[in-house]
C-alpha cells in the first residue's frame, strides 16, 4: 500500500479535544443498607506509551507479563467515601502513592472493601476499612489476574481466597529462535465449524508461556495478613467458596491445549474441596471442546455453568444439555438444571427442565427461584417460577419476545442474605420489587413495580416523568418505599437522588459538575418516522447551540448500527429517552455538533426477516431504505441538507458504511472504523447470521462490500486498530479492502492505529482519530 507522509499524532480542534479529555464523572457504589456511598474516580485515557508496553497474546487472553494481569484494563485512581444521607466527602488514608485500582468488592457484612492495586511489578491485594476510612495492603503476594478477578471474600468476612503467582517460579520460558518442527493441525473427517477467534496459541512456545503465566496457587489471606496455601500450583481458572464457607468449587484447566479455540474450550476439571483444600468430589472432567455447532442456540454437550446456589449453605448447581447441545435435535427437554448438596455423597437432583435453552436463574429460598429459558431462533424468552425442593410444579410467570422492549417486566430486586450472597428480596406476601427501563412509545420511562408472585398481579409504584430521565439504582427501604435513583435531563448532567415513593418527593445527594460546557445549549430531539415499508424508525437529532432554522439546512453526520429482528412491529419500537443528558465518549458522532453539523445519532436501521425469511435475505435493500428514511426526515424538517450527508459506523456499523457507499448515492463521504468487509473470511457465521457461507453463498457475496469495490465512487476513510482482537474483525479486513479500493481508483484513506484493539484507548490514538474524521468531514462533506 502507499505510505502517506507521517507527521505523527495530530489533534482535532480544541473544542473536540476538550470534550474527549474531560475528567470522567466518578463511578458510584452504594452498600445494600443504603448507608455508605463509595465514589471511585476513573482514570483518564492511558498514553500510547502505556499501550506500547509488552503484551502477550495467548489462548484468547492478553497478558501483561510484567505484573501477571490483563494488559488492557481500566483503572480507578482515587477513592472517596461519604454517607448516603449527607454531603461531606471523606478522603481515604493509606492509599498507594500513585494508585491504579480495580477489582473492588464489598465484604459480606459491607464493613470493608477489597481492591487490587497494580504496580509495575505485581498486582497487590488491599483492604479499605469503611469505619476508619483507612486502606492497607494485606499481603506481599502477587495476585494472578490472568483470568480476571483474582480473589473472593470468604463468608466470614475475615479472610479472602486469592489466586497468586507461584513464588520463586523463575523466569518465563524463552521462545525458541529456531523452531523444532512445523505446527500441524489435523481433522479426520469430523464436522468442526468454528467462528474466527483471535490471539490463539500458535506453537509449543506459546503453550509453555500460557502455562507459565496462567499457573497459580490458591491461598487464604486473613485481614491481618496471615497466608495459608490451599491448592498447589495449577492452572486455576476460578475458585469460589460455598455460602457457608466450608467448601470450595474449583475449576482447573489441563492439557491438551488447542490452536483453534480459546482457553474457555480447553479441558476443564471441576472439583469440590473442603475449605482446607482436601479433595471431596469431581463433578465434571470435560475434554477439549472444539466442535460446538455454530448456531446461537447451541451449547457444549458436556456439563456447564457450575456454581454455588446463593440461598443454601453448600449446594452446587449446573446445567446439562439433553439435545447434545445441538438445536437441530428435536427433544422435549433442552436443558436440565442439576444440584448436589453437601456432603456431596448423595445422588444428584434435577430441579428444573427447560423446553428452550437455559438462560439464568435467580435464587430466593429453598422453595422458590426464577429461571429463564431462551430460544434465539424465535426470540422467545420464558420466565418460570420453580420450587427447587420439588414440592410444586413450575409455573410460567412471563412468556414473551425478547425483541418486545415495551413489555419487558423488569428485574426483581435482590438483597444480601445471612451468607452475604444476593438473593431475591421477597416480601411477606410473596411479592417482589421489579425495576426496569420502561421502554414505551414515549421513550424509556424507568419504573418501580411490586409484583405478587402468587397472583401474578403487578402494581406500579413509580415511573420516571418528563422532563427528566430517572433510573432506580437500589431499593433502600422496602417498608418505607425509599429508593436511590440517578436523574438527568436535557440540560442537567446525571446526579444521584433519594426518592420517597410514598411521599412522592426526592432529595439530591450528589452534585457532580457539568462535564461538557461546550455542549450547553445543544438541542436534542427524538425523531419518529417510517420506512417506505411501514416499519417505524427513530433517530436522535442534535443541532448546534443557538442554531435557528432560518439559517438554512446543515451538513449532517449520520451514525448507526444495524440490528436484526424477526418481527416488524418490534423492530419499530423506540429505545432511549428524549430527556437523557447528552453524554459523549471517544466513538461518538456528537463531537461534530460543535463544528456546525446536524447529527443523526443512534439512527435505527432494523433488518427484519419474519417467519421463514432470514433478516439478511434482504439486508442491502433494508439498509439503504433505513438510511434514506432518516435523511428524508431531517430534510423534511429543514435542518438536514440531503446533499451534504456523511455516514459513520464502528465494527458492524463500519461494515454498514461500506455497504451504504457501495449501493447508494445518499452520502458525500463515509467513515468506517474496525469493520469487516469480506464475509468469506467469516464463513461460519457473523453478527446475527448463523448460516454458513456454503449454505447461503449468495447472502455472503451480496453482503460483502469487498465484492463491490469497483462500484465505490464515494470517499471512504478506513480506521482500524492494528491489534484488533474482536471475533471476525481482523485488521486484514481493512488492509485487503483498502488495497482493492486503491487498485480500482477509489478515493480512500486507511489509518492503522498502533497498539489499539477493537475499541481505542490511548489519548494520542483517540485525538488523532478525531482529527482524521474531522478533516475528512470538512473536506468531503462540509465543503
Amino acid at each position: 500500500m502507499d505510505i502517506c507522509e507521517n507527521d505523527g499524532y495530530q489533534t482535532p480542534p480544541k473544542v473536540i479535544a476538550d470534550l474527549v479529555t474531560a475528567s470522567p464523572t466518578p463511578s458510584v457504589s452504594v452498600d445494600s443498607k443504603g448507608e455508605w456511598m463509595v465514589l471511585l474516580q476513573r482514570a483518564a485515557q492511558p498514553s500510547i506509551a502505556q499501550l506500547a508496553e509488552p503484551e502477550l497474546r495467548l489462548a484468547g487472553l492478553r497478558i501483561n507479563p510484567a505484573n501477571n494481569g490483563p494488559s488492557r484494563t481500566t483503572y480507578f485512581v482515587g477513592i472517596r467515601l461519604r454517607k448516603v444521607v449527607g454531603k461531606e466527602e471523606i478522603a481515604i488514608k493509606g492509599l498507594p502513592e500513585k494508585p491504579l485500582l480495580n477489582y473492588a468488592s464489598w465484604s459480606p457484612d459491607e464493613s470493608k472493601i477489597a481492591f487490587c492495586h497494580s504496580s509495575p511489578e505485581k498486582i497487590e491485594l488491599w483492604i479499605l476499612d469503611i469505619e476508619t476510612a483507612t486502606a492497607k495492603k494485606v499481603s506481599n503476594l502477587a495476585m494472578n489476574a490472568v483470568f480476571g478477578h483474582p480473589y473472593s471474600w470468604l463468608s466470614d468476612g475475615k479472610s479472602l481466597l486469592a489466586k497468586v503467582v507461584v513464588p520463586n517460579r523463575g523466569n518465563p520460558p524463552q521462545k525458541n529462535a529456531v523452531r523444532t518442527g512445523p505446527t500441524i493441525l489435523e481433522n479426520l473427517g469430523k464436522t468442526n465449524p468454528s467462528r474466527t477467534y483471535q490471539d490463539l496459541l500458535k506453537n509449543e512456545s506459546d503453550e509453555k508461556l500460557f502455562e507459565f503465566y496462567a499457573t497459580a496457587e490458591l491461598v487464604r489471606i486473613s485481614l491481618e495478613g496471615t497466608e495459608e496455601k490451599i491448592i498447589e500450583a495449577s492452572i486455576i481458572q476460578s475458585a469460589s467458596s460455598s455460602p457457608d464457607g466450608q467448601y470450595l468449587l474449583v475449576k482447573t484447566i489441563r492439557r491438551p491445549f488447542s490452536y483453534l479455540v480459546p482457553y474457555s474450550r480447553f479441558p476443564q476439571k471441576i472439583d469440590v474441596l473442603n475449605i482446607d483444600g482436601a479433595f471431596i468430589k469431581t463433578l465434571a472432567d470435560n475434554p477439549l471442546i472444539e466442535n460446538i455447532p455454530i448456531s446461537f442456540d447451541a451449547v457444549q454437550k458436556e456439563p456447564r455453568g457450575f456454581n454455588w446456589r446463593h440461598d443454601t449453605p453448600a449446594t452446587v448447581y449446573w446445567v446439562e444439555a439433553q439435545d447434545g447441545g445441538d438445536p437441530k435435535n428435536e427433544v422435549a427437554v433442552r436443558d436440565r438444571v442439576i444440584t448436589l448438596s453437601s456432603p456431596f455423597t448423595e445422588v444428584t437432583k434435577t430441579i428444573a427442565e427447560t423446553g428452550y435453552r437455559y438462560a439464568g436463574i435467580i435464587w430466593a429460598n429453598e422453595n422458590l427461584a426464577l429461571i429463564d429459558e431462551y430460544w434465539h431462533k424465535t426470540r422467545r424468552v420464558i420466565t418460570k417460577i420453580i420450587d427447587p425442593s420439588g414440592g410444586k410444579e413450575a409455573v410460567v410467570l412471563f412468556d414473551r419476545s425478547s425483541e418486545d422492549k415495551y413489555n419487558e417486566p423488569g428485574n426483581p430486586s435482590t438483597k444480601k442474605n445471612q451468607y452475604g450472597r444476593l438473593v431475591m428480596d421477597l416480601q411477606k406476601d410473596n411479592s417482589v420489587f421489579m425495576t426496569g427501563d420502561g421502554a414505551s412509545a414515549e421513550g424509556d420511562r424507568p419504573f418501580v413495580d411490586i409484583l405478587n408472585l402468587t397472583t401474578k398481579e403487578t402494581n406500579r409504584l413509580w415511573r420516571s416523568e418528563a422532563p427528566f430521565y430517572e433510573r432506580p439504582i437500589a431499593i433502600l427501604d422496602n417498608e418505607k418505599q425509599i429508593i436511590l435513583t440517578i436523574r438527568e435531563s436535557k440540560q442537567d448532567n446525571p446526579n444521584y437522588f433519594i426518592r420517597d415513593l410514598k411521599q412522592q418527593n426526592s432529595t439530591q445527594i450528589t452534585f457532580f459538575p457539568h462535564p461538557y460546557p461546550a455542549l450547553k445549549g445543544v438541542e436534542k430531539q427524538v425523531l419518529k418516522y417510517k420506512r417506505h415499508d411501514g416499519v417505524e424508525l427513530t433517530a436522535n437529532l442534535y443541532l448546534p447551540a443557538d442554531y435557528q432554522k432560518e439559517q438554512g439546512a446543515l451538513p449532517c453526520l449520520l451514525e448507526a448500527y444495524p440490528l436484526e429482528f424477526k418481527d416488524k412491529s418490534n423492530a419499530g419500537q423506540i429505545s432511549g429517552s428524549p430527556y437523557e443528558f447528552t453524554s459523549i465518549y471517544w466513538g461518538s458522532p456528537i463531537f461534530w455538533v460543535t463544528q456546525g453539523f446536524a447529527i443523526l445519532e443512534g439512527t435505527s436501521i432494523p433488518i427484519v426477516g419474519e417467519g421463514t425469511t432470514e433478516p439478511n435475505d434482504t439486508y442491502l435493500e433494508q439498509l439503504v431504505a433505513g438510511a434514506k428514511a432518516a435523511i428524508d426526515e431531517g430534510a423534511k424538517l429543514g435542518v438536514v441538507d440531503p446533499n451534504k450527508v456523511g455516514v459513520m459506523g464502528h465494527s458492524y456499523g463500519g461494515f454498514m458504511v461500506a455497504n451504504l457507499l457501495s449501493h447508494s448515492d445518499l452520502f458525500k463521504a463515509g467513515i468506517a472504523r474496525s469493520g469487516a468487509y469480506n464475509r468469506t473470511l467469516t464463513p461460519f457465521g457473523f453478527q446475527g447470521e448463523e448460516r454458513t457461507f456454503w449454505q447461503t453463498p449468495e447472502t455472503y457475496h451480496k453482503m460483502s462490500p469487498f465484492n463491490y469495490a469497483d462500484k465505490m465512487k464515494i470517499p471512504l476513510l478506513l480506521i482500524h486498530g492494528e491489534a484488533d482482537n474482536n471475533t471476525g474483525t481482523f485488521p486484514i479486513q481493512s488492509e485487503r479492502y483498502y488495497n482493492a479500493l486503491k487498485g480500482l481508483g477509489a478515493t480512500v484513506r486507511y489509518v492503522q492505529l498502533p497498539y489499539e484493539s477493537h475499541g481505542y484507548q490511548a489519548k494520542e490514538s483517540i485525538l488523532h482519530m478525531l482529527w482524521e474524521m474531522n478533516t475528512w468531514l470538512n473536506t468531503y462533506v462540509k465543503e
Side-chain angles (χ1 to χ4, degrees):
M1 65 181 69
D2 294 336
I3 305 296
C4 297
E5 184 177 344
N6 190 342
D7 294 324
Y9 287 104
Q10 302 295 314
T11 303
K14 184 177 184 300
V15 65
I16 292 180
D18 288 347
L19 284 171
V20 79
T21 57
S23 297
T25 300
S27 294
V28 173
S29 178
V30 178
D31 68 5
S32 64
K33 298 183 287 290
E35 182 180 0
W36 285 101
M37 174 181 287
V38 180
L39 295 93
L40 301 166
Q41 183 59 52
R42 292 178 289 163
Q45 296 107 339
S47 69
I48 197 68
Q50 290 172 281
L51 233 60
E53 290 173 356
E55 175 184 70
L56 296 174
R57 302 172 188 175
L58 303 168
L61 297 167
R62 293 196 166 181
I63 300 169
N64 180 346
N67 67 10
N68 223 103
S71 60
R72 295 164 187 263
T73 188
T74 55
Y75 292 108
F76 301 107
V77 292
I79 307 178
R80 302 193 304 277
L81 275 176
R82 56 163 288 180
K83 292 278 191 177
V84 169
V85 180
K87 295 183 180 180
E88 181 186 356
E89 291 188 0
I90 304 168
I92 306 301
K93 301 182 289 289
L95 286 172
E97 186 176 344
K98 294 181 179 179
L100 290 175
L101 315 177
N102 55 9
Y103 303 126
S105 65
W106 291 90
S107 63
D109 65 358
E110 297 180 319
S111 67
K112 296 174 179 62
I113 291 177
F115 60 89
C116 288
H117 165 59
S118 294
S119 74
E121 300 82 23
K122 64 180 179 180
I123 299 173
E124 305 164 345
L125 182 61
W126 286 63
I127 297 292
L128 165 63
D129 183 275
I130 298 295
E131 195 61 39
T132 64
T134 302
K136 67 173 183 178
K137 184 170 64 172
V138 294
S139 173
N140 286 317
L141 292 172
M143 301 295 107
N144 188 326
V146 161
F147 295 117
H149 211 297
Y151 73 88
S152 61
W153 283 97
L154 286 171
S155 57
D156 62 6
K158 299 177 181 178
S159 52
L160 304 99
L161 286 173
K163 292 185 292 180
V164 304
V165 173
V166 179
N168 304 313
R169 65 180 175 179
N171 296 321
Q174 296 299 308
K175 284 198 171 188
N176 295 328
V178 179
R179 301 275 293 276
T180 59
T183 298
I184 299 173
L185 304 176
E186 182 179 57
N187 185 63
L188 301 177
K190 293 183 179 179
T191 302
N192 291 323
S194 179
R195 295 204 175 199
T196 53
Y197 296 103
Q198 308 255 35
D199 300 339
L200 299 178
L201 300 179
K202 298 179 178 65
N203 49 54
E204 186 179 352
S205 292
D206 280 356
E207 292 188 48
K208 291 177 179 178
L209 282 168
F210 170 72
E211 204 160 35
F212 179 84
Y213 286 101
T215 295
E217 293 178 348
L218 188 68
V219 176
R220 179 164 48 209
I221 302 174
S222 74
L223 298 183
E224 289 71 41
T226 59
E227 300 160 354
E228 179 187 358
K229 187 193 300 184
I230 296 177
I231 299 178
E232 295 290 342
S234 55
I235 303 179
I236 304 171
Q237 183 177 345
S238 66
S240 60
S241 65
S242 58
D244 66 2
Q246 299 303 305
Y247 301 94
L248 299 174
L249 182 64
V250 181
K251 303 173 187 176
T252 53
I253 289 173
R254 299 171 298 109
R255 286 179 176 270
F257 304 146
S258 172
Y259 297 176
L260 296 177
V261 293
Y263 76 91
S264 57
R265 303 274 196 91
F266 290 0
Q268 187 184 78
K269 194 164 177 278
I270 298 96
D271 294 320
V272 175
L273 315 178
N274 73 15
I275 195 61
D276 296 317
F279 173 80
I280 293 177
K281 187 179 183 65
T282 295
L283 299 178
D285 194 351
N286 291 340
L288 176 64
I289 301 171
E290 291 184 333
N291 60 346
I292 297 177
I294 61 171
S295 167
F296 293 115
D297 293 315
V299 294
Q300 66 189 54
K301 61 184 178 182
E302 295 80 8
R304 68 187 196 277
F306 289 84
N307 218 323
W308 294 107
R309 277 181 60 167
H310 286 191
D311 60 321
T312 58
T315 300
V316 181
Y317 72 97
W318 66 91
V319 184
E320 294 183 1
Q322 304 302 298
D323 57 1
D326 191 342
K328 292 179 182 177
N329 295 329
E330 295 294 334
V331 294
V333 174
R334 292 284 177 183
D335 282 331
R336 284 198 176 111
V337 181
I338 313 292
T339 63
L340 182 64
S341 299
S342 60
F344 309 102
T345 56
E346 303 296 326
V347 296
T348 59
K349 177 183 176 182
T350 298
I351 64 164
E353 295 181 336
T354 63
Y356 296 126
R357 196 62 73 201
Y358 166 83
I361 195 165
I362 301 176
W363 304 100
N365 54 48
E366 61 182 10
N367 299 118
L368 194 147
L370 297 183
I371 187 170
D372 287 333
E373 53 184 275
Y374 174 67
W375 203 241
H376 179 270
K377 194 74 174 176
T378 58
R379 311 301 199 269
R380 191 176 174 191
V381 58
I382 297 174
T383 302
K384 292 178 180 176
I385 304 170
I386 65 167
D387 180 355
S389 70
K392 298 177 183 176
E393 292 290 323
V395 175
V396 173
L397 180 62
F398 307 119
D399 186 348
R400 60 189 184 83
S401 167
S402 64
E403 295 177 344
D404 183 6
K405 297 186 292 289
Y406 288 0
N407 288 300
E408 285 184 356
N411 299 304
S413 63
T414 58
K415 66 176 181 180
K416 284 191 173 181
N417 61 12
Q418 68 269 36
Y419 307 116
R421 306 296 173 95
L422 289 175
V423 295
M424 196 158 37
D425 190 7
L426 280 180
Q427 309 303 297
K428 293 178 181 178
D429 61 350
N430 206 37
S431 63
V432 64
F433 288 96
M434 302 286 287
T435 61
D437 293 335
S440 73
E442 304 164 333
D444 287 356
R445 296 182 60 188
F447 63 84
V448 177
D449 288 348
I450 188 85
L451 167 66
N452 189 299
L453 295 175
T454 303
T455 65
K456 301 185 188 179
E457 293 180 353
T458 298
N459 178 35
R460 179 138 296 172
L461 302 178
W462 172 82
R463 190 183 190 195
S464 179
E465 298 285 347
F468 299 106
Y469 173 62
E470 189 170 1
R471 293 177 287 126
I473 301 300
I475 311 292
L476 300 181
D477 190 311
N478 291 337
E479 217 41 57
K480 295 180 180 179
Q481 294 187 2
I482 295 175
I483 66 173
L484 176 70
T485 69
I486 185 167
R487 191 174 85 182
E488 60 194 272
S489 71
K490 288 182 179 182
Q491 295 78 30
D492 304 312
N493 56 293
N495 269 291
Y496 287 82
F497 287 73
I498 298 290
R499 176 170 285 280
D500 187 323
L501 301 187
K502 288 186 176 180
Q503 299 299 321
Q504 299 183 2
N505 58 35
S506 64
T507 303
Q508 185 172 346
I509 61 171
T510 64
F511 298 87
F512 301 132
H514 195 301
Y516 312 119
L519 294 183
K520 286 184 177 180
V522 167
E523 181 64 29
K524 176 187 175 182
Q525 180 182 351
V526 177
L527 304 184
K528 302 176 185 179
Y529 52 99
K530 289 185 179 182
R531 204 164 65 183
H532 70 81
D533 57 0
V535 175
E536 296 182 345
L537 305 174
T538 62
N540 297 318
L541 172 66
Y542 294 87
L543 296 173
D546 302 323
Y547 168 75
Q548 301 294 327
K549 278 190 181 181
E550 293 75 22
Q551 297 172 237
L554 299 172
C556 175
L557 176 59
L558 182 151
E559 179 269 342
Y561 190 95
L563 294 174
E564 298 87 350
F565 291 86
K566 289 297 292 178
D567 185 288
K568 185 181 292 187
S569 61
N570 292 335
Q573 290 187 353
I574 296 171
S575 60
S577 168
Y579 307 111
E580 283 181 279
F581 178 72
T582 300
S583 59
I584 203 163
Y585 76 107
W586 64 266
S588 174
I590 299 172
F591 295 105
W592 284 276
V593 77
T594 68
Q595 304 300 300
F597 280 79
I599 306 299
L600 290 170
E601 181 256 358
T603 308
S604 60
I605 300 189
I607 310 298
V608 184
E610 296 185 310
T612 58
T613 301
E614 290 298 320
N616 285 339
D617 291 349
T618 53
Y619 169 83
L620 290 178
E621 295 83 350
Q622 295 188 70
L623 187 73
V624 173
K628 183 178 187 303
I631 295 169
D632 288 348
E633 181 66 16
K636 187 175 76 173
L637 293 173
V639 298
V640 168
D641 182 345
N643 297 312
K644 290 187 176 182
V645 182
V647 59
M648 66 169 280
H650 190 90
S651 192
Y652 204 58
F655 169 71
M656 168 205 75
V657 168
N659 270 311
L660 283 171
L661 300 193
S662 300
H663 299 283
S664 78
D665 57 1
L666 297 170
F667 301 98
K668 297 295 287 185
I671 302 167
R673 297 190 312 230
S674 300
Y677 310 104
N678 184 347
R679 283 302 164 200
T680 66
L681 297 179
T682 56
F684 289 106
F686 58 89
Q687 200 70 9
E689 179 58 69
E690 59 184 359
R691 297 171 296 182
T692 71
F693 166 78
W694 295 274
Q695 289 174 310
T696 179
E698 64 283 355
T699 301
Y700 279 69
H701 176 85
K702 190 175 180 182
M703 289 181 68
S704 294
F706 180 87
N707 295 336
Y708 299 91
D710 59 331
K711 308 296 184 186
M712 179 65 75
K713 307 300 179 187
I714 300 169
L716 174 62
L717 172 62
L718 293 167
I719 303 175
H720 216 122
E722 72 170 10
D724 193 334
N725 66 337
N726 183 57
T727 300
T729 56
F730 290 79
I732 195 174
Q733 290 272 6
S734 288
E735 293 167 11
R736 293 293 185 263
Y737 189 38
Y738 169 80
N739 282 330
L741 292 171
K742 168 183 169 290
L744 292 163
T747 298
V748 60
R749 180 178 174 92
Y750 175 38
V751 179
Q752 191 176 80
L753 299 174
Y755 313 113
E756 294 292 353
S757 185
H758 193 60
Y760 313 149
Q761 291 183 285
K763 178 180 177 180
E764 293 90 339
S765 300
I766 293 169
L767 290 174
H768 185 86
M769 175 204 76
L770 294 171
W771 176 82
E772 291 278 2
M773 294 175 64
N774 190 64
T775 303
W776 200 256
L777 291 170
N778 282 335
T779 302
Y780 295 108
V781 178
K782 202 171 188 180
E783 300 304 325

